[in-house]
Amino acid sequence: MIWSNWNKADKTLLFVLVVFLFCLCLHLSYPASLLADGMLFCAEAALVGGLADWFAVTALFEKPLGFPYHTAILPRRRDSFIQSSVTLVQKEFFSKRKIFHHLERLHLMPMLLEWLDHPETRARMTDRLLVYARNILVREGSGEQAAVIAERFKDTLARVEPEDFFGEFGRWLSRSGRDHEILAKLAAYGYLQVEKPETRKAIEKYLQDYEKERTKGDFWSLLAAGFLEATNLVDLEEAAELMQKQLLSILEELAKPESQLQEDLLSLFYEKSMVLNLDPAFHQLLHDLKDSLLEDLPLGEAVQRTFTHLRAHLAEDQAREVDPLAEHLPVLQSRLAGLIGEEYQRILDLLKEDEELRRSVGHFLYDLIARSALHAQTLVGVVVTSVLSGLTDKQLNHLVYDKVEPDLLWIRMNGSIVGAGIGLIMFVIMKFIELN
């Protein structure tokens, strides 16, 4: 055994042996010396105490000098030791009393609110919800989702009153100024169509047909029309050109922003719309039209096709390892992120302001953590049993010895120290008795 590998208890025992041999030699050289007798008596007691404690400590883990009786206690009683360790961990470290005591000291809701209000948590939650929404679109079997969405859309449309919808739509057009913009675009489009030669020819044909219809079956009207045409007093081509120019002038005026004609036409439109909106016949027509659309509108099929095409595109983008929303629908992604952020903040504000809700969430978290900890009690027992059972006797000895090595070494050294002290006391008592 290398000297550097010896522990301090082994070195102490060796030192006691050397002292004993020195005292023995001293006693043999001076047999009548009281000091030599006392030193030998104390050294002998210290050596016996050190050897006894070495034997006792070693017998806990192995058989000292091969002695078979009541030694190697830990390897022989390993099953009892493992079961006691499991019981100790379950009943002491993970006992119900200690679990609930520690949970009561935790302020769960302040910790939760602080964590949820952290910018990193907010960003991470938003990203996860966006990924979740994207995965729902990519996931196969979206037929049921499409049917649910279509059904809810129909229910929403069924609850909408057409009169209220048109009234609100008209107010929105007026407030936003979109009515002037739409009318100007319609006028500009009409101007492009009216200025074409085909339009003038169509007007001329209409006038000819109208004249023929008006003079049909009337001799005098037919005679007057023929006379006017023969004398060139009525030129339908010129009249069509004049009407075309007049229409172009009107459309040009309508296309001007906030022109008087534009304002008059919009005022007339809103006035007649209000009158028409109160008409019972129009009311019934709108409801019949709405019911017909809801019944015949293939919303389910349309939503399903949209899901199918969208899923195909998203799957292709995922295969290329790119974010499909960010690449193709950045506006949608930004809007969804904004909506999720707003709802996230609204939930946080609700948790901070509503004491009853905060108490309910706190009780739920407390109950969840407590139940999880109690279930972990059994799991910890299984883990401890599995780990300790898989150790060899030597590994188990090292595991226990390494944890209490300093105390065991001091037990051995204390054997020599206490033995020397007791030997000195006994030697003094013996000599005192001899003198008396």
Side-chain angles (χ1 to χ4, degrees), residues 51-63:
L51 288 173
D53 283 352
W54 166 82
F55 186 91
V57 170
T58 305
L60 292 173
F61 305 99
E62 55 189 31
K63 298 177 180 180

Side-chain angles (χ1 to χ4, degrees), residues 237-253:
E237 183 178 353
E238 183 179 357
E241 184 177 355
L242 290 174
M243 293 180 66
Q244 184 184 34
K245 290 180 179 180
Q246 187 64 26
L247 284 173
L248 290 174
S249 176
I250 295 173
L251 292 173
E252 185 178 5
E253 183 70 16

Side-chain angles (χ1 to χ4, degrees), residues 116-173:
L116 291 175
D117 205 16
H118 197 276
E120 292 184 2
T121 305
R122 186 190 304 270
R124 188 161 54 248
M125 293 290 288
T126 302
D127 292 340
R128 292 307 305 168
L129 289 173
L130 283 174
V131 172
Y132 178 71
R134 183 192 64 192
N135 291 339
I136 289 178
L137 296 176
V138 176
R139 188 173 59 194
E140 294 290 341
S142 58
E144 295 182 359
Q145 302 173 14
V148 171
I149 293 175
E151 191 62 31
R152 291 186 177 180
F153 190 64
K154 285 185 177 181
D155 292 340
T156 303
L157 290 178
R159 291 193 296 269
V160 174
E161 291 292 335
E163 297 85 353
D164 297 337
F165 172 76
F166 283 115
E168 186 62 31
F169 181 69
R171 286 188 290 272
W172 174 79
L173 287 176

